[in-house]
Amino acid sequence: MMSREKTTAARLSTGLATSGRSTPLASQSNLNQAAIGSNTVLSQSPSTMMASNGSPANAGPSQTIRFRTGIRNTVYDAMRDRGWKEADGDMDWDFFWADVHWIHETFDHVYLQEHQRINHFRNHYELTRKDLLVKNVKRMIKSIEKEYGKTESQKFDFLSPSYVLPAEHALFTEEFKRNPGSVWIMKPVGKAQGKGIFLINKISQINGWRKDVKGNVKGDRDGDDAPEAYIVQRYIENPLLIGGKKFDIRVYVLVTSYYPLTIYIHRNGFCRFSNTQFSMQAKDISNMYIHATNVAIQKHSPNYISGRGCKWLLRNLKLFLTARHGSKAVDDLFTEMEASVVRSLMSVQKVMINDKHCFELYGYDILIDQNLKPWLLEVNASPSLTAETQWDYDLKHAMVQDCFDVVDLERRHSGKSIRPRVGGFDLVYNDGPVRHERTSNYASYLGCHQPIPRAPRQKKRFGKPSTPAVKLSGNPNTYSPPTALSGSQDQLVS
Ligand code: ADP
């Protein structure tokens, strides 16, 4: 019998044979239309596949869903806006939006009833911890190369070269010596929001970093004596710039099952811009306002304009790049982004503990370089769903509602076919790539138009919107190209 990884790879090659293409997943111009894997063809009306989302058996449409959560953000509001009621007891819930600490500490010690659902897979960290993502993708590359050759395995080349420290210190040193003068980024594996990251361009910056008595490299940033694992990753020195500024992209990805692997991607992602002109000059190497695009860092930049923020709707990026690079190049780029998401999930499918009670809403961080190649930076298990402006609130609220519509705790779609599109979520993989009947000219729906309805609640605490850099005109969802990032409030939000 074939291993699961081999089965996945076999599907890729089956698709290759079926489609007659020489590039089964990575560089095809149309991931959705390509005949790969199970070749599921979905129209906007339901197909013949049955839902596998394990909706609560005892919570029919007339029953009120009882939820538990410790957070107070868009997710909490979205649950209440659906008419769900907060549960009283620790286990007396139908749905639990848990934090990852609860998953690590408690999940293994509780018994879930058939209908209960929870928002993380038990060992999500195989995908969301930076070192484990690197390890799993490297293993997938080796396995594909062995089975199908280098051309196939190169399609999984969506992570910039990375080494785990201290374990791969010697390997990294060798690699660094082969590329003298190259720039690398150090990232603590267990931190987020840009905490503890810094750039290096000399090996001595790592050697001097700290060594314990056994010669292992240790972190010394927090005065912590325990060794802290880092990944050191080749820095993308040629990021695509808009208005001279670097940006990365946040994409929301919903996995409802790992067996079969079932992936939805939301159309409304966004870009997060640096507020400072990009520079690779040696004197700027330690300036994180230039190099790290995390909102948590940019908010403290001297150039940050409160109320204008540093975000841009993915759709606006798509339109802007189409004007700049043409539709074919942009279509390829977005298809490639989608393919990288799918491949990263394929890389962990084998090690992930599937559980019908679980689903997961991941926040993917992607950087595009000047050759329009997307690089996966990391995957977040707990993407920030706290809003900073009303627009941000509306976007996240609508996306979370779409997520709950897919998961369907209310069992509105129980027993019916799996749905190819639910709000802004498009089904892109269901035990094989999904072919949609096209309703747009784009191969990937990522970044395609998806209206952002006003959420039922006004988030008064955002206060009065500050004066936009350019006067707002007309429909906030319409597009006009930005000039050096001085767009209108609808384009630049935080
Ligand atoms: P964190 O979990 O701390 O947010 P990330 O991996 O997302 O860590 O990195 C933080 C930021 O640093 C990113 O948003 C991006 O702007 C920048 N960055 C990270 N890795 C790279 C890289 N390999 N090349 C260029 N920029 C990077």
Side-chain angles (χ1 to χ4, degrees):
M1 198 178 134
M2 272 179 161
S3 74
R4 278 168 167 161
E5 199 165 273
K6 280 187 181 169
T7 313
T8 303
R11 288 199 180 106
L12 299 184
S13 77
T14 308
L16 181 62
T18 316
S19 66
R21 290 168 189 258
S22 59
T23 51
L25 199 54
S27 57
Q28 67 210 7
S29 63
N30 186 338
L31 178 73
N32 286 338
Q33 287 178 324
I36 306 163
S38 64
N39 296 319
T40 310
V41 182
L42 296 179
S43 64
Q44 293 304 314
S45 59
S47 77
T48 53
M49 292 178 298
M50 296 306 291
S52 57
N53 62 2
S55 299
N58 67 349
S62 58
Q63 284 182 277
T64 303
I65 306 291
R66 295 157 305 154
F67 70 88
R68 180 184 164 189
T69 188
I71 51 159
R72 291 289 178 273
N73 61 16
T74 43
V75 177
Y76 180 75
D77 291 350
M79 291 192 284
R80 294 205 307 154
D81 292 339
R82 293 177 89 82
W84 297 1
K85 293 274 175 289
E86 201 159 1
D88 299 326
D90 266 7
M91 289 305 294
D92 185 26
W93 42 265
D94 303 308
F95 173 63
F96 184 11
W97 189 279
D99 59 43
V100 289
H101 301 292
W102 188 93
I103 299 292
H104 300 163
E105 278 156 32
T106 318
F107 200 2
D108 278 341
H109 310 294
V110 297
Y111 172 78
L112 294 189
Q113 292 176 45
E114 177 72 15
H115 74 280
Q116 289 181 302
R117 303 295 306 272
I118 192 157
N119 66 320
H120 292 290
F121 286 90
R122 211 171 282 269
N123 61 338
H124 64 85
Y125 45 80
E126 293 286 349
L127 178 72
T128 57
R129 231 178 67 181
K130 295 176 176 76
D131 54 338
L132 296 178
L133 172 67
V134 167
K135 190 185 92 187
N136 285 318
V137 172
K138 279 184 182 174
R139 196 199 48 235
M140 186 71 169
I141 289 174
K142 266 195 197 138
S143 155
I144 299 272
E145 184 172 345
K146 199 162 150 220
E147 202 73 15
Y148 299 100
K150 217 166 173 65
T151 316
E152 295 307 307
S153 69
Q154 276 169 350
K155 289 160 190 166
F156 285 73
D157 171 32
F158 50 79
L159 289 179
S160 186
S162 310
Y163 298 89
V164 181
L165 296 180
E168 297 180 321
H169 187 249
L171 275 177
F172 167 64
T173 309
E174 267 176 44
E175 178 66 19
F176 189 90
K177 283 181 184 154
R178 272 197 291 274
N179 300 283
S182 55
V183 178
W184 295 72
I185 184 165
M186 291 277 288
K187 314 191 221 181
V189 301
K191 293 201 174 119
Q193 299 190 317
K195 286 188 196 116
I197 65 173
F198 58 99
L199 269 56
I200 61 162
N201 60 357
K202 292 191 189 76
I203 202 77
S204 59
Q205 290 161 312
I206 287 216
N207 291 336
W209 179 42
R210 199 151 98 192
K211 294 189 172 195
D212 67 14
V213 280
K214 292 181 191 137
N216 292 327
V217 178
K218 300 203 305 184
D220 64 353
R221 305 219 115 204
D222 305 326
D224 181 1
D225 272 350
E228 184 174 20
Y230 268 69
I231 67 159
V232 60
Q233 187 171 70
R234 186 78 186 254
Y235 190 69
I236 310 296
E237 295 182 45
N238 62 338
L240 188 68
L241 304 178
I242 294 183
K245 314 259 178 36
K246 176 177 172 175
F247 64 94
D248 74 353
I249 294 171
R250 163 60 50 89
V251 175
Y252 295 108
V253 175
L254 175 62
V255 174
T256 54
S257 155
Y258 273 93
Y259 287 102
L261 183 56
T262 309
I263 310 170
Y264 286 84
I265 301 185
H266 204 274
R267 297 177 180 202
N268 278 343
F270 51 83
C271 313
R272 296 170 299 193
F273 282 87
S274 154
N275 288 277
T276 309
Q277 290 286 315
F278 185 72
S279 154
M280 276 311 294
Q281 288 185 35
K283 70 174 174 54
D284 294 322
I285 198 167
S286 59
N287 186 342
M288 282 302 128
Y289 296 135
I290 293 176
H291 297 289
T293 49
N294 307 70
V295 176
I297 291 186
Q298 292 300 325
K299 268 203 299 203
H300 303 289
S301 158
N303 302 328
Y304 183 79
I305 302 172
S306 172
R308 193 179 104 185
C310 48
K311 287 185 189 166
W312 217 25
L313 191 61
L314 195 52
R315 173 169 176 263
N316 287 342
L317 177 76
K318 197 166 195 173
L319 293 169
F320 177 79
L321 292 181
T322 303
R324 201 203 244 183
H325 299 274
S327 55
K328 163 84 173 69
V330 172
D331 214 10
D332 288 351
L333 167 65
F334 277 72
T335 303
E336 193 60 30
M337 276 201 265
E338 193 172 297
S340 301
V341 168
V342 171
R343 288 192 191 101
S344 67
L345 290 162
M346 285 173 153
S347 304
V348 297
Q349 185 187 18
K350 197 181 156 196
V351 292
M352 209 56 98
I353 302 166
N354 194 45
D355 187 329
K356 65 179 180 195
H357 299 102
C358 307
F359 70 91
E360 195 133 6
L361 178 67
Y362 298 108
Y364 270 69
D365 291 348
I366 297 170
L367 186 80
I368 304 169
D369 73 17
Q370 285 172 11
N371 303 315
L372 297 189
K373 174 175 169 58
W375 296 95
L376 175 58
L377 298 182
E378 69 156 343
V379 185
N380 291 279
S382 308
S384 166
L385 294 170
T386 301
E388 288 162 74
T389 63
Q390 185 64 46
W391 185 93
D392 202 23
Y393 181 78
D394 293 342
L395 180 140
K396 287 171 178 166
H397 185 278
M399 187 277 299
V400 169
Q401 289 292 19
D402 291 345
C403 166
F404 289 145
D405 284 342
V406 174
V407 175
D408 193 26
L409 273 107
E410 293 98 342
R411 292 170 55 79
R412 293 189 182 115
H413 296 273
S414 124
K416 295 184 197 154
S417 315
I418 198 163
R419 288 160 297 158
R421 180 179 177 191
V422 180
F425 277 112
D426 294 292
L427 180 68
V428 298
Y429 199 89
N430 184 39
D431 208 17
V434 169
R435 287 198 295 155
H436 288 260
E437 270 180 16
R438 310 311 299 175
T439 53
S440 86
N441 294 327
Y442 292 111
S444 164
Y445 283 124
L446 181 59
C448 282
H449 176 63
Q450 171 65 23
I452 303 171
R454 198 64 190 246
R457 286 160 210 273
Q458 289 278 316
K459 298 312 283 180
K460 295 227 168 55
R461 66 175 182 277
F462 300 135
K464 230 175 73 194
S466 67
T467 317
V470 169
K471 207 167 170 282
L472 278 172
S473 62
N475 176 354
N477 278 321
T478 55
Y479 166 76
S480 58
T483 49
L485 284 191
S486 58
S488 60
Q489 185 85 348
D490 56 305
Q491 294 156 0
L492 293 166
V493 290
S494 57

